[in-house]
């Protein structure tokens, strides 16, 4: 695994600068877009059940809202930093612009570890976060969502605090709420299915039938499980899946050359996406080292676990047979590895296109919440397919037309849309 320490914000700015050059953006537009428009950093005092008070550090970064209210998750993480939140806010702006939804980019966080906090303490952090920001967020300003270590309950507590402060019902303030309390059908499936909608389109473009393909997947959590479900329904065959083993504190890759069974694996998987090793062995899965998902003889690789997984050190283990890499995870490929993949002509579906199904469905949740009318799961997933397919086609058309790498084409489209909106508003 890559040991280099990337500053994510510097990396996000470097990516932006490269595309700004391609687009020949003027100085003012560059200045505006390479930094967040607004940042909030604050303290959240929490009185614990034992009477002691602990102060938590909170952030919200609003990168750009030229296309609409900011949108982005809130992470709870002990190593959260303002630079991580800044970088993620930039990426949210580009992701929303790429799938053409009327939202800008934001991100938030709290430095904390929910593993070591009672439910009461987590609730107080959620309510405190909203109290600090109640005038600066909201359905028409900035719409938060869950992210790393935050879930539907956290979102509901935040909504409740916001509604208490503002004296009304504002379900469009936040997304990722429980279904039945303003949440959307289809959100659980959205990211994984979105990944496969883009793979389906890439296969069409390459003239390959899904039924004739095999895939290797890193991760077996929310994104991976639903990607495997839809890919298998379309006739594809997943032969290897890797995940983290909590007991042994290392990862393993589970392989069945005739194809893994999703239901079988789900029956031996915990809620964190960890597969039980001994039960997998009993079901005749080969148990390989965790990083071996990358050197399987397959047509498609789907990294859907963590960032920085395809690196300068392991990229050459990718077999010649691999035709498509679909980045389900955020930032799974380091810039060094990306250059090699581009040179080898592997069809790359970059993260902010491949995994944009999640934010697209969050946008659908916001729309449904604002009109207080909820769609069926089929309706949601049908609309998701249209959005993802449209976004894929616009990126691949531009990539072909201008002879650009798919990642660069996606950035060009997204940044161009945001830059144009800023110019049209006369901000620059
Ligand atoms: P998750 O927590 O549900 O699952 C993560 C999976 O990765 C688990 O199966 C875990 O065992 C596995 N894993 C962890 N470390 C590993 C390792 N070293 N080797 C192999 N497997 C390992 O997470 P998720 O929601 O599926 O998200 C996965 C990725 O997708 C993350 O990068 C996330 O930011 C990104 N993403 C998720 C969504 C979403 O809607 N869930 C949306 C956009 C992007």
């Amino acid at each position: 695994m890559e040991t280099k320490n990337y500053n994510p914000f510097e990396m996000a700015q470097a990516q932006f600068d490269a595309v700004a050059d391609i687009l020949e953006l003027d100085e003012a537009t560059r200045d505006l877009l390479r930094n967040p428009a607004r940042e909030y950093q604050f303290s959240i005092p929490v009185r614990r059940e034992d009477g002691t008070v602990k102060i938590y550090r909170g952030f919200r970064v609003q990168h750009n809202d030229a296309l609409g209210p900011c949108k982005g998750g809130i992470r709870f993480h002990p190593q959260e930093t303002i630079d991580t939140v800044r970088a993620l806010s930039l990426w949210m702006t580009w992701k929303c612009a790429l799938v053409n939804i009327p939202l800008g980019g934001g991100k938030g966080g709290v430095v904390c570890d929910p593993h070591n906090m009672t439910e009461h303490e987590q609730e107080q952090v959620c309510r405190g976060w909203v109290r600090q920001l109640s005038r600066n967020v909201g359905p028409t300003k900035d719409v938060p969502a869950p992210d790393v270590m935050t879930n539907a309950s956290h979102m509901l507590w935040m909504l409740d605090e916001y509604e208490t402060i503002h004296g009304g019902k504002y379900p469009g303030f936040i997304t990722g709420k429980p279904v039945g309390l303003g949440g959307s059908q289809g959100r659980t499936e959205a990211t994984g299915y979105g990944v496969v909608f883009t793979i389906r389109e890439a296969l069409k473009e390459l003239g390959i039938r899904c039924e004739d393909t095999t895939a290797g997947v890193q991760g077996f959590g929310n994104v991976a499980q639903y990607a495997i479900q839809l890919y298998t329904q379309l006739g594809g065959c997943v032969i290897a899946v890797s995940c983290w083993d909590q007991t042994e504190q290392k990862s393993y890759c589970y392989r069945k050359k005739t194809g893994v069974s999703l239901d079988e694996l789900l029956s031996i998987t915990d809620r964190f996406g960890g597969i039980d090793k001994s039960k997998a062995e009993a079901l005749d899965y080969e148990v390989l080292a965790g990083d071996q998902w990358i050197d399987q003889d397959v047509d498609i690789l789907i990294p859907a676990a963590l960032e920085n997984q395809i690196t300068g050190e392991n990229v050459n283990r990718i077999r010649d047979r691999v035709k498509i890499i679909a980045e389900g995870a955020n930032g799974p490929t380091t810039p060094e590895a990306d250059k090699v993949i581009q040179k080898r002509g592997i069809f790359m579906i970059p993260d902010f296109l491949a995994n944009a199904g999640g934010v697209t469905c969050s946008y659908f949740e916001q729309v449904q919440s604002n009109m207080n009318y909820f769609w069926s799961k089929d309706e949601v997933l049908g609309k998701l397919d249209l959005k993802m397919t449209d976004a894929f086609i616009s990126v691949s058309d531009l990539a072909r037309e201008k002879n650009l790498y798919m990642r660069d084409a996606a950035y060009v489209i997204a940044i161009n849309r945001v830059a144009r909106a800023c110019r049209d508003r006369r901000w620059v």
Side-chain angles (χ1 to χ4, degrees), residues 14-15 37 40 47 103 112-113 115 122 128 149 159 173 181 190 211 237 268 275 297 342-343 357 397 412 423 427:
Q15 286 165 342
Y40 304 95
R47 186 168 298 279
L103 295 170
C112 69
D113 187 353
H115 291 113
Q122 293 180 44
M149 287 202 265
L159 174 67
F173 155 58
L181 276 167
E211 298 90 312
C237 176
I268 57 167
I275 296 169
D297 195 30
Q342 178 175 9
K343 210 160 146 208
D397 280 357
V412 164
R423 276 197 303 273
W427 288 357

Side-chain angles (χ1 to χ4, degrees), residues 187 191 218 220-223 242-244 251 272-273 305 328-330 355:
R187 176 62 186 90
T191 309
Q218 187 193 33
F220 196 59
N222 172 260
V223 178
S242 82
C243 64
W244 185 251
S251 58
F272 303 107
N330 283 320
N355 70 32

Side-chain angles (χ1 to χ4, degrees), residues 81-144:
T81 67
I82 186 71
D83 273 348
T84 314
V85 181
R86 285 176 178 141
L88 290 162
S89 75
L90 259 74
W91 288 323
M92 281 306 296
T93 303
W94 315 142
K95 193 184 281 195
C96 291
L98 184 63
V99 280
N100 222 354
I101 54 183
L103 295 170
K107 205 77 183 190
V110 178
V111 185
C112 69
D113 187 353
H115 291 113
N116 309 323
M117 293 159 71
T118 64
E119 203 168 65
H120 169 84
E121 216 171 320
Q122 293 180 44
E123 181 187 334
Q124 293 314 309
V125 167
C126 289
R127 291 186 184 276
W129 192 93
V130 172
R131 278 199 296 275
Q132 290 289 356
L133 286 168
S134 64
R135 286 182 303 278
N136 314 105
V137 292
T140 59
K141 293 178 186 159
D142 182 359
V143 183

